[in-house]
Amino acid sequence: MTDLYESSGSLPRPGIRGYGLRLRPWDADAEEDVQAWLRGYLDPEFQRWNTPLRPLEDRADALESMAARAKSAQEGVGASFCVTDASGGVPLGHIGINDIDHVVRVARVGYWVLPDARGRRVATRALALASRWAFEELGLHRLELGHALGHEASCRIAERCGYPYEGTLRGAMFEAGRLDAFRDVHLHARLATDPAPERGPALP
């Protein structure tokens, strides 16, 4: 009998298409992907709202970070996708289903969009796609989305994709650029049993 406290094995990471986007696995052998990953983490707007435990500074750091994400997929506890246009394939950003708990079927969602792709509802469309995949293909029951207090754009994206605000978590994440101070987090979540949002993610 399978131990419920173990992961279900390597996660499937197919290409997912919809809303004018394609979500595909990141490719550490493709220089375009490596540079996009690095640009995403070095972007001042990303750094304003996120504080990685290990900051990325160069290509070697990017490769190490990408390898860690690939390992999570192999272990069945995370899936990371490069967000691209449905046709062109140029990286626009990232979305991940992280910290998957296969017992209670819950996971956390995280995403970022490259500066030159903003203003096109890339994050909204990617979140809608990834959420559907997580519920239908992984059989998850609950997806949580947390963001730093004051990040109004993430609030709007969450609400638009059917993730209502559930409360404020006090001191639940690091302050920008610091590992010795904390800030509050807005928690949003969506259940597999929730009705679909009344309005789907708008195309650009």
Side-chain angles (χ1 to χ4, degrees):
M1 181 176 178
T2 301
D3 186 345
L4 290 177
Y5 288 87
E6 294 180 356
S7 74
S8 59
S10 180
L11 294 181
R13 296 194 300 162
I16 306 168
R17 294 179 181 270
Y19 306 120
L21 297 178
R22 180 188 178 210
L23 311 185
R24 60 165 175 80
W26 287 92
D27 184 359
D29 293 325
E31 190 61 24
E32 184 178 39
D33 278 20
V34 177
Q35 293 303 319
W37 188 268
L38 184 59
R39 284 193 294 126
Y41 275 79
L42 292 179
D43 173 49
E45 190 68 7
F46 172 87
Q47 295 185 358
R48 177 185 178 190
W49 300 113
N50 302 274
T51 306
L53 293 178
R54 297 191 62 180
L56 273 66
E57 298 180 354
D58 53 29
R59 184 176 183 278
D61 291 340
L63 288 171
E64 184 177 351
S65 176
M66 294 172 80
R69 294 295 185 122
K71 184 173 183 289
S72 292
Q74 292 171 355
E75 295 175 347
V77 294
S80 296
F81 295 101
C82 177
V83 182
T84 76
D85 281 319
S87 56
V90 175
L92 305 175
H94 160 81
I95 190 160
I97 307 298
N98 311 309
D99 302 328
I100 299 173
D101 184 329
H102 293 277
V103 179
V104 293
R105 294 183 293 156
V106 64
R108 301 174 66 184
V109 182
Y111 52 81
W112 48 259
V113 176
L114 291 168
D116 53 353
R118 290 176 187 147
R120 297 160 52 186
R121 292 199 169 181
V122 171
T124 300
R125 293 182 283 148
L127 178 58
L129 278 177
S131 301
R132 184 175 65 193
W133 178 78
F135 288 136
E136 295 180 357
E137 300 300 323
L138 299 186
L140 296 181
H141 171 66
R142 175 179 168 90
L143 293 174
E144 297 182 350
L145 190 163
H147 64 80
L149 187 66
H151 196 344
E152 299 301 329
S154 269
C155 256
R156 291 192 296 271
I157 291 166
E159 296 283 351
R160 195 178 294 134
C161 289
Y163 286 71
Y165 168 70
E166 290 191 343
T168 298
L169 306 179
R170 297 178 299 149
M173 70 182 297
F174 288 121
E175 286 282 4
R178 299 180 62 179
L179 300 180
D180 62 347
F182 299 87
R183 55 182 163 175
D184 295 349
V185 169
H186 264 192
L187 176 64
H188 300 255
R190 181 174 171 183
L191 303 182
T193 52
D194 285 343
E198 291 184 6
R199 297 179 59 187
L203 295 176

